[in-house]
Amino acid sequence: MPGGVAIRDIEEGEEMSICYLNMENRMKTAGERKKILRQYGFFCSCKYCTGEEEGEEIRRFQELSRMLGEQRGAAEMVRLCLERENILEQVGAKLVGELLT
């Protein structure tokens, strides 16, 4: 039987899934994720990919990413990077578990 490591407790009989998107692509809008998945012949109907739940974290992550592309001082760039990294930590496990279920 194949092994693995869980990042949370899994209930007996609970369905498990795998996300085919890397972390950067998981933090894109529902429409952008749909285009990426479609390239590989996948269609996802979870609440994130249908746009039913976009999440404040995803919107903030996108805003931070745009801000990082602008001219800013070093201290501000570091602050933005740290905030973006914090969001990835907060939602990473949640999205891995929920994105393609």
Side-chain angles (χ1 to χ4, degrees):
M1 174 192 275
V5 176
I7 58 174
R8 64 173 179 78
D9 290 339
I10 300 170
E11 299 293 325
E12 186 175 334
E14 180 180 350
E15 183 176 352
M16 296 185 337
S17 63
I18 187 169
C19 182
Y20 292 98
L21 297 173
N22 62 24
M23 186 59 71
E24 180 182 340
N25 287 334
R26 281 183 226 153
M27 299 305 291
K28 293 187 176 183
T29 66
E32 291 169 326
R33 286 191 305 272
K34 188 180 291 188
K35 287 179 188 177
I36 293 165
L37 289 170
R38 198 176 303 139
Q39 293 172 357
Y40 299 100
F42 290 104
F43 175 79
C44 183
S45 59
C46 78
K47 60 187 176 185
Y48 293 102
C49 288
T50 58
E52 293 175 31
E53 184 174 316
E54 201 50 40
E56 180 58 35
E57 298 98 344
I58 291 175
R59 284 189 287 279
R60 180 63 179 155
F61 183 90
Q62 293 169 341
E63 180 183 358
L64 291 167
S65 296
R66 281 190 296 276
M67 292 169 71
L68 283 166
E70 300 169 358
Q71 186 92 11
R72 297 188 180 276
E76 178 68 2
M77 294 292 277
V78 168
R79 187 192 68 73
L80 295 172
C81 286
L82 290 173
E83 184 178 348
R84 199 170 83 146
E85 185 66 25
N86 186 44
I87 291 171
L88 288 175
E89 288 178 19
Q90 287 175 18
V91 303
K94 178 171 75 173
L95 289 178
V96 167
E98 295 178 358
L99 186 59
L100 294 177
T101 58

